[in-house]
């Protein structure tokens, strides 16, 4: 964006894509799909010591209709899987997904009859955060990287964004 | 005491008591399947066994000495008397296809516990009111904890189960009608709460039937975070189970570490060094403080009192960054203890870091109690809400702060002291009404008592000496030996690859967890891997009563109660 301060007019020139993505980037509304230990670390991330609002993502919503960033924090079992899939489907485009922790990313050290071996079996994922559980700093790091990704995205029609399989 | 109990039982029932046993201080009797209700009713009525702590299923098909035994399954009922301070394990054996009489009529806590045994082993309970799966989903085929079920065979679920059936809606409408309130089944509204819901703190689900705003029927479902701790334990060595225990009650991981170790040490008859004992007490109490901080602050957030969340949560963060992380390198999942001692020694400045945080804790408690204790909104939301009497609480198998809130001062640290708790001076706070307010206040006072214990331990000074037992059966040799001698290398290799061998036997090790009596029922076949570990999670019986507790109240009350009973899904579903 180019702003000329000494300009007599109140115009600024930019590209539509940049302006829209600038807005999206710094106003992500996370939906914590917290099931396990990682949800506790998510609580730490939003609390005042780490303070996720420094990155513009503090408007935590528990309704998929109101949020655009799904943070899957915790183990997803086969019993939970259909619910996660529904929640993801209920979110409006554009939407992004962070798999927080190894359980959500790959099942972690729970390789057994009840644990889904990574949420990417059922929904697309933008970022995988390592750790069991990841520290709040890890999650904030992922958020910053996701913002960069959001900034660079084109105005792709809804639904086609994930078709290219651009997981990080 | 328990010895006499077994003798009295034998005098009463004669040869209907098939076997008696005593291992590591745990008394047990084996009875025939048909005699079970009579024996347990006698124990409850005449021997004051008010608590049915747990029901444990065991598949004995691969246990040495039992491979050809036609009775493949053993069901163990863990009974506890608080009034007379004794414990007894009552066992029955069943062949494939044989059923066992249900005890759900005697103890409400048997309801879910028997469902779990049915779900995981396929043992049917005759006369059980609602024998459905509980941890695995309803489309699951087979029984997961049987030895012939492969651990990695996952099964997808197509859609969640409906919990309240149509005939139940009609029945509820009929009940209301007979009570003089003319309503049609179509007037009742079914509302699903969870598992993705801000108040369910993880993965719990309830379906409630509403008449206006009043909950007339409630069904709860769990198992959304079933991570197969018990199956994983059978697949790993005794030492490798340790990180899995972190993730049971992930808010107070160190308590799980300590109590799991205590259970295995009971099987080993091992005595840990004095330094390890004292450090275990300190970290256990810190863990309890963190558990209560998170429980109370989350509960208050659910009630709309957000400020308290910052007051308490910042103390918790401070304890993590100042003490827990320097101590073991991670925040939440600590993996701190080892069988026979500790994984790491304390860091320099441990004592001052703790004292600094205890001061912060006391300030925060002062601020929070100042905000809520006489707050009209808080009192309106919590006083008399979800009240339980002592009898009800015992019937449902409550332990810990939820039981103490009803007025019964049962604390494992006082009734069966371990790790030297008998030498510390502390009080067991109790409530009077057993309602939501009492549960919150008991937890707040327990934090003060935990701080007292920690201060006493620090004031005495940490004993010197090693932090790990010197026992090559179970403890890893020091690194100098591993790299400097062939015996050290061999010992290390065997312990890592095969696991430390634990003598064959059975033991129930328990302690006071964050939310009540946390126990590990361990069965060893003498190899390096557990044959069976059954966790006795304090949340499980408490949450089984939740449907009863919220009936007749409103949904906001249900949210307040759920926060106050502190359900941690990792421990509930394992």
């Amino acid at each position: 964006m180019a702003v000329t301060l000494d300009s007599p007019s109140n115009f600024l020139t930019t590209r539509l894509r940049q302006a829209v993505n600038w807005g999206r980037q710094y106003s992500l509304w996370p939906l914590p799909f917290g099931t396990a230990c990682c949800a506790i670390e998510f609580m730490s991330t939003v609390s005042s010591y780490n303070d996720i609002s420094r990155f513009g993502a503090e408007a935590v919503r528990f309704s998929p209709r109101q949020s655009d960033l799904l943070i899957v924090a915790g183990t997803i079992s086969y019993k939970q899987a259909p619910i996660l899939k529904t929640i993801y489907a209920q979110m409006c485009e554009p939407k992004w997904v962070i798999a927080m922790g190894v359980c959500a990313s790959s099942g972690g050290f729970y390789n057994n009859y009840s644990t889904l071996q990574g949420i990417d079996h059922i929904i697309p994922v933008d970022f995988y955060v390592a750790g069991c559980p990841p520290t709040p700093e890890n999650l904030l790091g992922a958020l910053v990287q996701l913002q960069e990704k959001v900034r660079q995205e084109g105005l792709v029609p809804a639904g086609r964004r994930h078709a290219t399989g651009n997981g990080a | 005491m328990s010895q006499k109990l077994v003798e009295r039982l034998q005098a009463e029932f004669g040869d209907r008591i098939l076997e008696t046993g005593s291992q590591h201080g745990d008394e047990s009797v084996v009875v025939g399947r048909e005699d079970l209700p009579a024996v347990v009713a006698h124990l409850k009525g005449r021997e004051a066994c008010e608590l049915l702590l747990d029901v444990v299923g065991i598949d004995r098909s691969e246990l040495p000495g039992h491979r050809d035994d036609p009775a493949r399954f053993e069901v163990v009922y863990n009974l506890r008397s608080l009034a007379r301070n004794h414990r007894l394990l009552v066992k029955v054996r069943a062949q494939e296809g044989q059923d066992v009489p249900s005890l759900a009529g005697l103890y409400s806590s048997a309801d879910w516990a028997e469902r779990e045994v049915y779900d995981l082993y396929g043992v049917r309970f005759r006369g059980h009111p609602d024998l459905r799966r509980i941890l695995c989903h309803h489309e699951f085929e087979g029984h997961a904890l049987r030895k012939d079920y492969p651990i990695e065979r996952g099964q997808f679920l197509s859609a969640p189960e409906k919990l309240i059936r149509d005939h139940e809606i009609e029945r509820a409408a009929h009940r209301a009608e007979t009570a003089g309130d003319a309503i049609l089944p179509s007037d009742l509204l079914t509302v699903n709460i969870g598992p993705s819901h801000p108040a369910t703190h993880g993965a719990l689900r309830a379906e409630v039937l509403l008449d206006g705003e009043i909950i007339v029927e409630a069904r709860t479902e769990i198992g959304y975070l079933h991570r197969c701790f018990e199956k994983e334990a059978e697949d790993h060595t005794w030492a490798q189970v340790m990180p899995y225990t972190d993730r049971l009650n992930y808010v107070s991981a160190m308590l799980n570490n300590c109590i799991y170790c205590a259970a295995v040490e009971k099987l080993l008859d091992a005595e840990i060094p004095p330094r390890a004992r004292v450090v275990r007490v300190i970290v256990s109490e810190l863990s309890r403080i963190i558990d209560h901080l998170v429980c109370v602050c989350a509960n208050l957030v659910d009630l709309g009192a957000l400020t308290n969340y910052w007051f308490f949560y910042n103390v918790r963060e401070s304890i993590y960054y100042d003490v827990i992380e320097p101590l073991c390198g991670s925040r939440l999942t600590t993996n701190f203890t080892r069988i026979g001692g500790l994984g790491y020694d304390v860091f320099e400045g441990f004592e001052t870091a703790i004292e600094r945080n205890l001061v912060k804790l006391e300030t925060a408690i002062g601020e929070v109690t100042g905000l809520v204790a006489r707050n009209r909104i808080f009192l309106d939301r919590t006083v008399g809400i979800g009240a339980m009497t002592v009898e009800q609480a015992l019937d449902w198998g409550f332990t810990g702060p939820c039981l103490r809130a009803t007025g019964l001062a049962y604390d494992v640290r006082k009734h069966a002291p371990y790790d030297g708790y008998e030498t510390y001076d502390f009080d067991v706070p109790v409530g009077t009404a057993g309602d939501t307010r009492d549960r919150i206040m008991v937890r707040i006072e327990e934090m003060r008592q935990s701080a007292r214990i920690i201060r006493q331990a620090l004031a005495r000074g940490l004993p010197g000496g090693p932090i790990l037992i010197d026992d090559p059966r179970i403890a890893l040799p020091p690194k100098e030996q591993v790299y400097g001698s062939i015996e050290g290398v061999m010992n290390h290799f065997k312990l890592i690859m095969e696991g430390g061998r634990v003598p064959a036997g059975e033991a129930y090790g328990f302690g006071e967890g964050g939310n009540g009596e946390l126990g590990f029922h361990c069965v060893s076949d003498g190899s390096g891997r557990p044959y069976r570990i059954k966790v006795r999670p304090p949340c499980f019986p408490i949450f089984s009563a939740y449907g009863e507790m919220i009936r007749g109240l409103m949904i906001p009350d249900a949210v307040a109660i759920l926060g106050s009973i502190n359900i941690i899904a990792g421990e509930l579903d394992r």
Side-chain angles (χ1 to χ4, degrees):
Chain A
M1 272 178 273
V3 186
T4 323
L5 289 175
D6 53 356
S7 162
S9 67
N10 289 323
F11 288 98
L12 66 86
T13 55
T14 180
R15 277 182 288 180
L16 177 64
R17 184 178 74 102
Q18 274 185 327
V20 170
N21 283 348
W22 175 77
R24 286 177 176 170
Q25 178 186 0
Y26 296 117
S27 64
L28 289 166
W29 286 31
L31 161 68
F33 194 87
T35 60
C37 338
C38 287
I40 306 286
E41 284 300 59
F42 180 82
M43 282 164 71
S44 300
T45 314
V46 296
S47 70
S48 46
Y49 190 89
N50 289 291
D51 197 8
I52 201 171
S53 60
R54 293 181 292 155
F55 304 91
E58 80 278 20
V60 177
R61 288 295 176 274
F62 289 90
S63 163
R65 304 290 189 203
Q66 298 171 347
S67 43
D68 54 8
L69 170 62
L70 178 64
I71 298 180
V72 181
T75 316
I76 301 299
S77 64
Y78 288 112
K79 199 171 183 175
Q80 186 84 274
I83 294 152
L84 176 61
K85 215 171 163 176
T86 312
I87 297 276
Y88 177 75
Q90 285 173 336
M91 289 171 68
C92 299
E93 291 279 357
K95 54 188 171 185
W96 297 272
V97 178
I98 289 180
M100 180 181 177
V102 288
C103 287
S105 302
S106 69
F109 75 170
Y110 293 102
N111 184 7
N112 55 37
Y113 62 87
S114 178
T115 309
L116 185 67
Q117 299 299 299
I119 58 166
D120 47 11
H121 282 89
I122 53 169
I123 59 172
V125 177
D126 289 283
F127 263 93
Y128 300 91
V129 190
C132 187
T135 57
E137 294 87 344
N138 284 146
L139 183 62
L140 292 174
L143 182 73
V144 172
Q145 282 181 285
L146 182 74
Q147 288 177 335
E148 186 57 25
K149 186 178 177 180
V150 172
R151 191 178 70 80
Q152 290 173 359
E153 274 186 357
L155 294 174
V156 186
R160 247 199 280 153
R161 221 168 45 76
H162 286 298
T164 49
N166 52 354
Chain B
M1 185 76 188
S2 289
Q3 187 63 51
K4 280 191 194 149
L5 172 68
V6 172
E7 284 164 14
R8 286 200 299 274
L9 264 187
Q10 279 178 318
E12 178 77 23
F13 289 96
D15 52 8
R16 289 158 78 193
I17 303 292
L18 303 176
E19 284 175 36
T20 62
S22 172
Q23 284 191 36
H24 307 285
D26 296 336
E27 307 293 328
S28 62
V29 295
V30 180
V31 298
R33 284 182 298 128
E34 299 311 320
D35 292 329
L36 175 73
V39 172
V40 175
H42 174 83
L43 284 167
K44 187 183 181 189
R46 303 278 294 281
E47 301 290 353
C49 290
E50 321 94 333
L51 263 175
L52 173 64
L53 284 172
D54 203 5
V55 181
V56 183
I58 299 169
D59 176 358
R60 305 196 302 161
S61 58
E62 290 180 11
L63 199 61
H66 297 282
R67 289 201 175 101
D68 301 321
D69 192 340
R72 178 176 177 183
F73 301 107
E74 186 168 82
V75 184
V76 185
Y77 296 84
N78 190 342
L79 295 164
R80 177 83 171 94
S81 165
L82 305 185
R84 302 188 192 170
N85 205 8
H86 55 222
R87 293 173 177 268
L88 186 66
L89 302 173
V90 179
K91 303 180 178 181
V92 289
R93 289 173 187 154
Q95 297 179 21
E96 181 91 56
Q98 283 180 334
D99 57 9
V100 174
S102 169
L103 297 184
L106 279 167
Y107 296 96
S108 299
S109 54
D111 183 344
W112 278 24
E114 288 176 347
R115 274 176 69 188
E116 185 186 319
V117 176
Y118 162 70
D119 181 6
L120 300 176
Y121 287 98
V123 177
R124 300 196 71 88
F125 291 88
R126 188 173 356 109
H128 189 283
D130 184 25
L131 198 62
R132 291 183 295 125
R133 285 189 181 273
I134 185 162
L135 294 179
C136 298
H137 57 75
H138 63 285
E139 291 172 6
F140 196 87
E141 283 172 11
H143 298 284
L145 276 189
R146 288 189 176 192
K147 288 285 176 187
D148 50 13
Y149 190 93
I151 181 167
E152 286 167 20
R153 191 198 287 163
Q155 301 186 23
F156 272 94
L157 167 70
S158 58
E161 190 182 13
K162 196 168 161 23
L163 299 180
I164 298 186
R165 311 267 155 71
D166 290 344
H167 70 270
E168 286 172 316
I169 301 178
E170 278 167 31
R171 210 188 308 148
H174 181 71
R175 261 208 311 273
E177 203 181 325
T178 46
D181 181 13
I183 52 169
L184 295 169
S186 57
D187 293 339
L188 296 173
L189 179 70
T190 309
V191 176
N192 182 73
I193 306 172
S196 174
H197 185 278
T200 56
H201 295 253
L204 320 165
R205 180 176 170 219
E207 220 172 74
V208 295
L209 196 61
L210 296 177
D211 172 15
E213 284 197 84
I214 305 296
I215 298 168
V216 291
E217 189 65 66
R219 286 272 183 286
T220 47
E221 194 190 20
I222 64 167
Y224 288 102
L225 193 56
H226 181 45
R227 300 192 279 197
C228 326
F229 170 82
E230 289 160 12
K231 192 80 171 177
E232 289 283 3
E234 292 169 18
D235 202 48
H236 288 77
T237 64
W238 290 94
Q240 284 172 336
V241 175
M242 191 71 63
Y244 286 94
T245 63
D246 291 336
R247 288 149 184 87
L248 288 170
N249 184 340
Y250 34 75
V251 185
S252 55
M254 290 214 181
L255 274 166
N256 306 340
N257 292 165
C258 294
I259 296 171
Y260 168 71
C261 283
V264 182
E265 284 150 12
K266 190 171 173 183
L267 265 177
L268 283 160
D269 288 321
E271 181 83 16
I272 64 169
R275 187 175 177 85
R277 270 159 69 103
V278 176
V279 176
R280 276 192 192 181
V281 168
I282 295 173
V283 295
S284 293
E285 295 309 315
L286 270 182
S287 231
R288 193 183 318 282
I289 289 173
I290 293 171
D291 179 270
H292 290 356
L293 282 173
V294 174
C295 167
V296 173
C297 78
N299 198 181
L300 290 170
V301 169
D302 293 344
L303 294 171
L306 186 66
T307 321
N308 304 288
Y309 177 78
W310 312 124
F311 283 143
F312 270 178
Y313 212 86
N314 282 348
V315 178
R316 171 200 180 269
E317 284 293 297
S318 175
I319 296 177
Y320 271 151
Y321 279 117
D322 269 12
V323 183
I324 309 283
E325 202 172 10
L327 198 58
C328 60
S330 73
R331 284 157 51 88
L332 208 64
T333 43
T334 51
N335 190 19
F336 178 61
T337 61
R338 296 289 179 273
I339 297 162
L342 306 173
Y344 319 93
D345 207 340
V346 301
F347 56 92
E348 204 174 309
F350 177 69
E351 290 89 345
T352 48
I354 289 183
E355 181 53 39
R356 195 164 59 235
N357 282 286
L358 292 183
V359 173
K360 285 186 193 172
L361 172 76
E362 276 152 5
T363 315
I365 290 177
E367 281 169 322
V368 169
T369 45
L371 278 172
V372 301
R374 290 166 191 276
N375 183 314
R376 179 68 191 274
I377 305 170
F378 173 75
L379 296 177
D380 282 353
R381 290 289 305 272
T382 55
V383 172
I385 300 297
M388 296 289 270
T389 63
V390 176
E391 291 74 26
Q392 283 173 319
L394 289 172
D395 182 39
W396 283 103
F398 280 31
T399 48
C402 295
L403 177 62
R404 292 193 279 272
T406 64
L408 190 68
Y410 171 59
D411 189 321
V412 180
R413 292 173 294 173
K414 288 278 189 196
H415 277 72
Y418 54 98
D419 282 347
Y421 269 112
E422 65 277 11
T423 62
Y424 297 95
D425 179 25
F426 66 102
D427 299 324
V428 179
V430 291
T432 49
D435 57 6
T436 301
R437 173 178 170 272
D438 279 8
R439 285 189 282 268
I440 292 174
M441 290 305 169
V442 163
R443 285 205 169 85
I444 289 178
E445 184 53 37
E446 275 184 20
M447 287 194 269
R448 289 202 180 102
Q449 298 301 327
S450 291
R452 251 177 97 184
I453 296 174
I454 294 172
R455 285 211 169 100
Q456 287 172 45
L458 291 178
R460 288 179 202 171
L462 294 181
I467 52 163
L468 196 58
I469 193 171
D470 183 20
D471 183 346
R473 284 182 305 166
I474 198 79
L476 285 176
K479 281 284 179 282
E480 305 83 70
Q481 282 181 30
V482 177
Y483 293 120
S485 73
I486 187 69
E487 293 79 12
V489 177
M490 291 296 288
N491 190 1
H492 189 275
F493 179 83
K494 294 287 252 187
L495 284 176
I496 296 291
M497 300 306 288
E498 292 170 9
R501 288 180 189 280
V502 172
E506 196 170 344
Y508 174 71
F510 59 99
E512 184 71 24
N515 207 19
E517 179 172 327
L518 174 67
F520 290 86
H521 191 107
C522 301
V523 182
S524 173
D525 58 0
S527 72
R529 288 162 196 269
Y531 183 79
R532 168 85 168 112
I533 294 182
K534 167 75 173 74
V535 189
R536 192 272 168 194
C539 292
F540 187 81
I542 294 174
F543 193 61
S544 70
Y546 182 62
E548 286 297 316
M549 288 167 91
I550 64 174
R551 192 169 296 153
L553 300 171
M554 294 193 281
I555 286 184
D557 300 329
V559 170
I561 295 171
L562 185 59
S564 73
I565 55 177
N566 193 19
I567 301 303
I568 306 292
E571 177 181 84
L572 176 74
D573 297 339
R574 285 149 282 148

